[in-house]
Amino acid sequence: MSTIIRLFNITKVYQMGEEEVHALQGVNLEIKKNEYVAIMGPSGSGKSTLMNIIGCLDTPTAGLYELNGTNVSEMNDNQLAKIRNKEIGFVFQTFNLLARSDVLHNVELPLIYGGFSSAERKRLAKEAIERVGLSDRMHHKPNELSGGQRQRVAIARALVTNPSILLADEPTGNLDSRTGEEIMGLFDMLHQQGNTIIVVTHEEEIAAHAHRMVRIRDGKVERDEMVKHRRIAKSIVTS
Amino acid sequence: MESREIISIALSAIRANKLRSALTLLGIVVGVFSIIGVMTAVRVLQNSIESGLSNLGAHTFQIQKMPMMSSRREWLQALKRKDITYEQAQTVAERITLAQYVGIEGWQGGATIQRPTGEKTNPNVSVAGETPEGIPTNNWTIKEGRSITENDLLHSYAVALLASEVEKKLFPRGGAVGSEIKINNRRYTVVGTFEPKGASLGGSSDNFVAIPLTTFLEHFGKQRSLNIMVKAKSAEVYEECLEETRLLLRTLRKVPPGQEDDFYIFSNDSLIETFNEFTFYVKLGVGFISFISLLAAGVGIMNIMLVSVTERTKEIGIRKAVGARRSNILSQFITEAIVLCQMGGLFGIGLGIIGGNLAALAFSIPPVIPIDWALIGFLLCSAIGIVFGVYPAWKAANLDPIDALRYE
Ligand SMILES: Nc1ncnc2c1ncn2[C@@H]1O[C@H](COP(=O)(O)OP(=O)(O)OP(=O)(O)O)[C@@H](O)[C@H]1O
Ligand SMILES: [Mg+2]
């Protein structure tokens, strides 16, 4: 399997007035295609910071980040936007949906910036919505949906461009355990279909769905190991 | 990204804040309304004056003591001048060589015309005392009966010709010619009627009667200034004819050389010129005020757009996170500002055209739609949208995606 993500000695320093916050202090990580990785660690250890850098939403203070063999730090704004649009599907802990738009439009959004025609957009978006089992909620606004349903919309949006990497920062953090299990079932399925998946979580059960577990502490990789007893979601989502 | 998509995003953002958008629009509406309203009104008046002038007849000019359109000061100064007397006018008519006709007339407003049977006009009919030549120089055409003759003039006969409005009022079923009427309680015989001319500003409408000038002077008094209307022999000698008349009258009125004329000469050109001079300052003033109000409106737009960008920081973050480029965000917000301004502009143009045409209604002349000014107004609004939308849009476009997403 080919390496898709390669991080060399990544550091991230936040300047807070006089004080410097070292969120990441030399992270080295390699992730191969179709790997299923869980990132764990205590609160404030730098997990979200790392995810944002991998997702090209944020830039490291120092270090090298290669995505598909290309140096990300050398890319300009438009190239980064294109990567975010085509290569990466990001699922946020807080959903981050457009409040004023319905499910269909939210899922369409990446396709709008990807330059798809209107008809093509509708087709792909409906397909993605179907995959997360929300076809009957197509024209609901986010505030008319349950937390789990919103997260599924966010996943559909992340999937709609068929990205090579799916990043999820605590995708179940705001959900009850049953709904969380549903979402993880969806991730398992996506992994089986060949996606590369990275999930941030602080719940062992969630992490147990992955093949590999990376533990972060104080901005450094503390442990990087394969999961011995993999857990497969019992209920593959049905709505 | 298609422009249709950008516009639909802009429209939905505007719709989401209806009241705020409407209030922001108001400034633009007022600014554009005042521009379009005044330009429409000016054009209405211009049309009316031009049509009034064309009624004067070809290569004809008119001389009178008072100016047509002037400042109050000029008007008061003109009041002090000597009247143009019947004798002066007659002398001009005798000596002039390049004229086809010289008409002499006097006007009196506020007359009441009455039939013995009781039908009566409002006390707002104008009475024109005319020489026979005054009928063609005024471009009046006889519908029925006859015109004023030298004989009428010589004997000061009490005969009258009715313009269409008066005729309609007094003789709705026809039969005016030969009937008796009273003008301010003096008896006249109707000998003819005029074809309708249509209303016009500055010229006469169809609400008048014409009587022989000598009769007029007896009836309404000799202490008045008369108008001289001269129709040149041809268009070629028009300028020469005008100059000849001017010199003749200066000699008669003993105007010393070097001093300006103590009378006004109106030709089609000079009237239009005077009108344009007058409207130029109106346009300039209104243009300036509108510009200021549009500037203020633009600042308002910018303010609202800045608020909007701040409010929607999270939205911008989301859009960037799923792949929006800087240019996408930039065009989204500029488009929103432009669409907002254009909506205001369209409202303003609509109201302005309606408002300006109230003038047309007042003078009962056909309304005008100033396409050119509507276009200018529309483009101006778009320009304001761009100018004042660029900075907020630029701010939005340059937000860092992760900072924008974290914004609460
Ligand atoms: N924008 C910022 N400005 C300053 N400091 C920041 C910023 N973002 C994160 N930090 C700091 O960086 C460190 C790592 O934060 P990060 O959000 O990556 O933690 P995390 O591992 O995701 O924690 P959690 O599990 O609570 O989400 C924290 O100490 C945090 O205070
Ligand atoms: Mg976090």
Side-chain angles (χ1 to χ4, degrees):
Chain A
M1 280 289 177
S2 61
T3 301
I4 190 162
I5 290 166
R6 186 176 274 146
L7 300 168
F8 288 117
N9 206 18
I10 293 285
T11 63
K12 179 74 187 181
V13 182
Y14 290 109
Q15 197 74 41
M16 300 287 288
E18 291 289 287
E19 208 180 332
E20 282 185 345
V21 179
H22 294 264
L24 295 177
Q25 314 191 42
V27 172
N28 291 294
L29 198 63
E30 251 183 55
I31 292 170
K32 293 197 173 65
K33 212 169 153 64
N34 199 22
E35 266 199 291
Y36 193 167
V37 183
I39 295 178
M40 296 197 70
S43 183
S45 56
K47 306 181 296 292
S48 293
T49 307
L50 182 63
M51 284 295 261
N52 293 337
I53 288 171
I54 294 174
C56 294
L57 288 169
D58 209 351
T59 45
T61 311
L64 186 67
Y65 171 24
E66 270 182 20
L67 184 69
N68 281 322
T70 344
N71 185 354
V72 171
S73 51
E74 279 172 2
M75 290 184 185
N76 66 25
D77 218 67
N78 282 347
Q79 287 169 315
L80 287 174
K82 197 169 169 186
I83 297 271
R84 289 197 289 266
N85 188 242
K86 300 232 183 307
E87 303 294 330
I88 291 164
F90 211 118
V91 180
F92 301 90
Q93 181 174 358
T94 52
F95 317 136
N96 282 339
L97 300 174
L98 294 180
R100 285 194 274 109
S101 307
D102 64 9
V103 169
L104 185 62
H105 186 81
N106 265 292
V107 176
E108 254 187 306
L109 200 60
L111 301 173
I112 292 177
Y113 296 115
F116 288 79
S117 76
S118 176
E120 188 84 350
R121 281 194 327 245
K122 294 271 182 301
R123 189 179 65 76
L124 290 170
K126 281 179 182 161
E127 223 175 83
I129 292 166
E130 203 161 319
R131 271 169 92 182
V132 299
L134 277 180
S135 295
D136 52 342
R137 296 285 188 277
M138 204 82 86
H139 296 292
H140 287 233
K141 300 262 168 71
N143 62 3
E144 297 158 357
L145 297 172
S146 73
Q149 288 170 330
R150 284 184 220 181
Q151 194 60 295
R152 281 192 259 156
V153 177
I155 293 169
R157 182 181 64 188
L159 293 178
V160 76
T161 53
N162 201 15
S164 43
I165 307 166
L166 188 69
L167 302 174
D169 190 354
E170 305 207 34
T172 61
N174 282 334
L175 308 176
D176 63 74
S177 58
R178 211 188 82 83
T179 325
E181 195 65 15
E182 264 177 35
I183 298 294
M184 291 320 290
L186 204 55
F187 278 49
D188 292 353
M189 190 175 77
L190 292 169
H191 175 246
Q192 276 162 23
Q193 289 167 2
N195 283 76
T196 309
I197 298 178
I198 306 173
V199 184
V200 168
T201 182
H202 52 256
E203 291 171 63
E204 295 288 344
E205 295 107 89
I206 299 294
H209 284 263
H211 286 159
R212 179 180 164 195
M213 199 184 291
V214 176
R215 288 185 184 275
I216 306 259
R217 184 179 289 276
D218 296 332
K220 278 184 198 132
V221 177
E222 185 192 44
R223 230 159 45 171
D224 187 348
E225 58 192 4
M226 299 315 278
V227 175
K228 288 182 196 94
H229 306 289
R230 257 197 89 212
R231 182 190 165 102
I232 304 288
K234 288 182 263 338
S235 59
I236 296 285
V237 78
T238 44
S239 166
Chain B
M1 206 174 159
E2 307 159 49
S3 49
R4 210 171 48 122
E5 194 58 47
I6 301 176
I7 289 170
S8 95
I9 292 173
L11 284 176
S12 79
I14 290 167
R15 235 180 286 127
N17 270 309
K18 284 195 195 73
L19 181 64
R20 191 165 81 187
S21 305
L23 290 177
T24 315
L25 287 184
L26 211 58
I28 298 278
V29 172
V30 170
V32 173
F33 166 76
S34 62
I35 293 184
I36 302 294
V38 168
M39 294 313 166
T40 308
V42 164
R43 190 146 309 168
V44 163
L45 297 184
Q46 207 155 19
N47 280 357
S48 121
I49 284 203
E50 273 163 24
S51 71
L53 284 173
S54 63
N55 281 347
L56 244 186
H59 42 268
T60 303
F61 57 90
Q62 176 170 331
I63 301 161
Q64 61 186 60
K65 175 176 138 183
M66 303 305 290
M68 279 271 204
M69 266 171 296
S70 68
S71 63
R72 195 180 141 73
R73 228 188 70 213
E74 199 180 351
W75 180 265
L76 289 175
Q77 220 139 36
L79 267 181
K80 285 187 240 153
R81 294 172 169 175
K82 286 182 290 185
D83 288 339
I84 298 176
T85 63
Y86 191 24
E87 287 68 38
Q88 280 171 7
Q90 276 177 311
T91 317
V92 169
E94 277 160 25
R95 294 197 194 159
I96 199 159
T97 58
L98 293 169
Q100 188 186 355
Y101 297 121
V102 177
I104 306 167
E105 64 174 14
W107 283 88
Q108 177 72 45
T112 310
I113 322 291
Q114 201 174 352
R115 277 181 75 184
T117 48
E119 290 94 336
K120 191 173 164 180
T121 65
N122 291 326
N124 64 354
V125 179
S126 301
V127 181
E130 297 285 346
T131 58
E133 293 82 5
I135 309 301
T137 50
N138 268 312
N139 220 18
W140 291 331
T141 5
I142 308 286
K143 188 174 77 176
E144 283 175 77
R146 62 167 178 89
S147 184
I148 290 168
T149 61
E150 287 297 339
N151 213 30
D152 293 332
L153 205 66
L154 200 65
H155 301 290
S156 305
Y157 283 144
V159 293
L161 283 94
L162 307 186
S164 62
E165 212 170 292
V166 179
E167 186 202 352
K168 227 184 298 167
K169 183 100 185 182
L170 297 183
F171 301 96
R173 283 181 296 273
V177 176
S179 302
E180 292 268 303
I181 53 162
K182 280 183 173 174
I183 301 174
N184 286 3
N185 286 325
R186 234 192 246 209
R187 289 169 61 163
Y188 285 82
T189 309
V190 179
V191 295
T193 56
F194 292 124
E195 294 279 0
K197 270 183 89 169
S200 72
L201 181 84
S204 42
S205 65
D206 288 320
N207 192 27
F208 70 94
V209 296
I211 58 177
L213 180 57
T214 47
T215 321
F216 176 84
L217 292 173
E218 271 172 30
H219 185 161
F220 294 99
K222 291 190 168 61
Q223 287 307 309
R224 63 178 64 243
S225 189
L226 301 180
N227 302 337
I228 307 171
M229 293 160 294
V230 182
K231 185 179 169 78
K233 276 187 173 144
S234 66
E236 288 75 49
V237 298
Y238 175 80
E239 286 298 326
E240 258 178 281
C241 178
L242 198 143
E243 200 52 27
E244 186 191 15
T245 315
R246 204 169 73 85
L247 287 175
L248 254 171
L249 205 57
R250 277 178 73 95
T251 320
L252 285 173
R253 288 165 72 83
K254 302 191 177 66
V255 182
Q259 201 163 314
E260 62 179 70
D261 297 344
D262 66 348
F263 48 87
Y264 288 93
I265 301 181
F266 301 108
S267 56
N268 288 6
D269 297 342
S270 81
L271 244 187
I272 290 172
E273 203 175 292
T274 319
F275 180 75
N276 284 347
E277 250 168 55
F278 165 74
T279 53
F280 174 76
Y281 289 104
V282 173
K283 284 181 187 170
L284 201 71
V286 170
F288 182 71
I289 292 167
S290 305
F291 178 74
I292 300 282
S293 75
L294 284 178
L295 212 65
V299 173
I301 295 273
M302 183 150 145
N303 186 31
I304 285 299
M305 290 309 294
L306 283 172
V307 169
S308 177
V309 167
T310 309
E311 269 180 6
R312 286 151 67 194
T313 301
K314 185 107 183 176
E315 175 196 323
I316 296 162
I318 293 171
R319 289 182 185 278
K320 288 202 142 189
V322 300
R325 294 158 174 232
R326 248 183 224 170
S327 56
N328 295 141
I329 303 291
L330 193 74
S331 53
Q332 180 189 329
F333 279 87
I334 290 184
T335 304
E336 198 176 315
I338 293 175
V339 168
L340 204 59
C341 288
Q342 286 178 342
M343 285 167 98
L346 288 180
F347 263 110
I349 289 168
L351 290 177
I353 289 178
I354 293 170
N357 276 312
L358 289 181
L361 215 60
F363 292 106
S364 61
I365 42 184
V368 297
I369 293 174
I371 307 263
D372 48 351
W373 278 103
L375 259 173
I376 289 172
F378 192 70
L379 292 179
L380 202 63
C381 293
S382 315
I384 286 169
I386 294 171
V387 168
F388 290 96
V390 158
Y391 176 65
W394 181 84
K395 246 186 99 165
N398 279 303
L399 284 173
D400 191 55
I402 196 70
D403 290 342
L405 271 177
R406 281 211 191 98
Y407 184 85
E408 290 302 332

